[in-house]
Each structure stands twice: as C-alpha cells, then as structure tokens.
Amino acid sequence: MGFAPQQISATASSLSPADILAFAKAGVHANFDYVPAALAFSELVGHRRPIGLRVDAEQDAGYGARTNYGGGKLGLAPGDVVAAASALRGEGAETV
C-alpha cells in the first residue's frame, strides 16, 4: 500500500536548493509560497510539471504574538497570487 509520488502533494517553506532538488527527483506535486523557489523547481523539472502556489488564508493561528502563524507567514498574500502566477508563466512554468 501507499501512494505513488504523483499522488503526493508536498508543501513546505524555506526550502534549500537540495530540498527543491529532492522534490523534483521524487516526482511529487510541489506547492510553493516563494516565487524564486517555485521557479527553481520548474527549471529542474524542465517546466514539465505544474506547480501549486500556497496562498495565505489570512487567518491567525497560534498561542500569542510570538507563535502567530497568520499574516503572510504561511503563503502568498491573496493579492500577490495573480502576479506570482503570471511571473512564473512568463518563465515557462505551469501553475495550478
């Protein structure tokens, strides 16, 4: 049992070049909240696989100011998604 790589959707922040390469080699669907990381992934896979963009839900979660994970910490601001997708498409990437 288990899942084939193409059935797995991976979302992470602050990826290193080695992390991006591992996602590309594994064949998983990758979601990014940082355009340069998404572009690096797309270049590694030859622009042959769609890329997901992680969008900040604009909801705060946490246990106070120090652990608050809202306000753009986890995803692109909704107002930036169209520009990010356009920038990626302009470089040959496919976004979903």
Side-chain angles (χ1 to χ4, degrees):
M1 295 234 60
F3 297 94
Q6 63 272 20
Q7 294 174 300
I8 298 171
S9 178
T11 304
S13 294
S14 303
L15 296 172
S16 71
D19 295 330
I20 294 168
L21 180 59
F23 278 10
K25 285 183 175 179
V28 300
H29 173 81
N31 302 297
F32 296 94
D33 57 7
Y34 184 57
V35 174
L39 185 54
F41 176 83
S42 182
E43 289 170 354
L44 282 171
V45 299
H47 306 296
R48 293 184 310 270
R49 294 208 318 254
I51 297 170
L53 296 175
R54 183 180 192 181
V55 181
D56 181 12
E58 297 186 323
Q59 298 295 313
D60 291 343
Y63 302 102
R66 289 186 47 193
T67 61
N68 181 0
Y69 289 98
K73 287 185 180 179
L74 298 174
L76 295 165
D80 295 338
V81 173
V82 171
S86 294
L88 288 165
R89 281 201 247 24
E91 295 293 330
E94 178 186 348
T95 57
V96 292

